[in-house]
Amino acid sequence: DTAHLARLGVAVPRSWEDLLDPGLRGMVVTSSPRTSGTAYTLMFTQYQRLGRGAAEDYLRSLYGQVQQFTRSGTAPARTVASGEAAVAVTFAPYCTSDQQGTTGLEVTLPSDGTGYEVGAVALLAGAPHPTQARRYIDYAVSERGQTACRRVGIHQLPTDTRLPDDITGLLEGPGSDLLPSDVHERNRMRDPLVGWFTQEGFDA
């Protein structure tokens, strides 16, 4: 929220390091990695950028700035839109959807690199309603399903490369600040990183 930041005398954050500005203490909101995949992406991004030890040091400093840890990844954008906090750390599409009907919100991507996620869908073995599940999966990967978010103001990118503005343009575009994501490494590090968060008691 640019107006909120101006009152604090803090410039709009444009890098991960900018979030550590002392003027933002208690003015940042993010979700908890114990309940939110969005928050785990934040943790894994720091691991990618800095390595395990330095990532924990950075996160310890960042979490010291946090006003509240929300349960869902979408909630931080709503918290800033309502004026309760100055900065939300969340996925960009969640921010643009909450800009509708508000003014003074600015979405920035960290200049020192950032992570991303690709939404997934699966039919679990032994699911009680496999026919209905398959129908949902067919919808999710269809053109209608891949563009549904945009129709309600959430600007997520399709994964289907046959659709306009699919995600490959962002991933492969020149000058992309997105960090590559190895799904196996991301899975391997989840328990250690979230376990560290829980042990430190950040959202206790």
Side-chain angles (χ1 to χ4, degrees):
D1 183 334
T2 53
H4 204 149
L5 290 169
R7 290 194 297 272
L8 295 171
V10 178
V12 174
R14 302 194 182 279
S15 71
W16 290 110
E17 294 304 315
D18 288 349
L19 293 174
L20 306 185
D21 187 315
L24 287 176
R25 187 168 183 85
M27 290 289 107
V28 177
V29 62
T30 188
S31 48
S32 168
R34 297 196 302 158
T35 57
S36 165
T38 302
Y40 175 63
T41 300
L42 161 63
M43 297 188 82
F44 186 72
T45 296
Q46 307 317 312
Y47 168 77
Q48 287 179 287
R49 287 197 317 122
L50 304 169
R52 177 74 183 270
E56 290 180 359
D57 290 341
Y58 172 80
L59 289 166
R60 192 175 285 111
S61 297
L62 175 63
Y63 293 152
Q65 303 280 76
V66 171
Q67 175 195 104
Q68 62 174 300
F69 291 93
T70 63
R71 288 185 57 80
S72 77
T74 59
R78 293 193 297 271
T79 302
V80 169
S82 71
E84 297 176 54
V87 175
V89 185
T90 186
F91 287 128
Y94 300 158
C95 300
T96 53
S97 66
D98 280 288
Q99 277 186 318
Q100 308 305 319
T102 64
T103 59
L105 300 186
E106 181 174 344
V107 179
T108 62
L109 300 179
S111 59
D112 36 358
T114 193
Y116 66 97
E117 73 165 1
V118 176
V121 62
L123 172 58
L124 300 179
H129 305 290
T131 302
Q132 292 88 335
R134 288 189 182 91
R135 287 177 60 191
Y136 174 75
I137 291 172
D138 288 343
Y139 166 77
V141 300
S142 71
E143 178 176 356
R144 184 166 179 267
Q146 295 258 311
T147 57
C149 286
R150 291 186 181 185
R151 292 196 296 274
V152 295
I154 301 175
H155 302 288
Q156 292 179 325
L157 303 177
T159 56
D160 188 334
T161 57
R162 297 168 297 179
L163 298 177
D165 301 321
D166 71 280
I167 196 171
T168 56
L170 182 63
L171 297 180
E172 299 173 1
S176 174
D177 292 324
L178 291 180
L179 300 173
S181 183
D182 183 310
V183 67
H184 301 293
E185 179 72 353
R186 187 174 179 137
N187 182 59
R188 184 183 72 83
M189 289 304 301
R190 182 177 180 85
D191 285 348
L193 289 174
V194 176
W196 169 81
F197 178 92
T198 301
Q199 183 176 355
E200 293 281 327
F202 292 114
D203 63 349

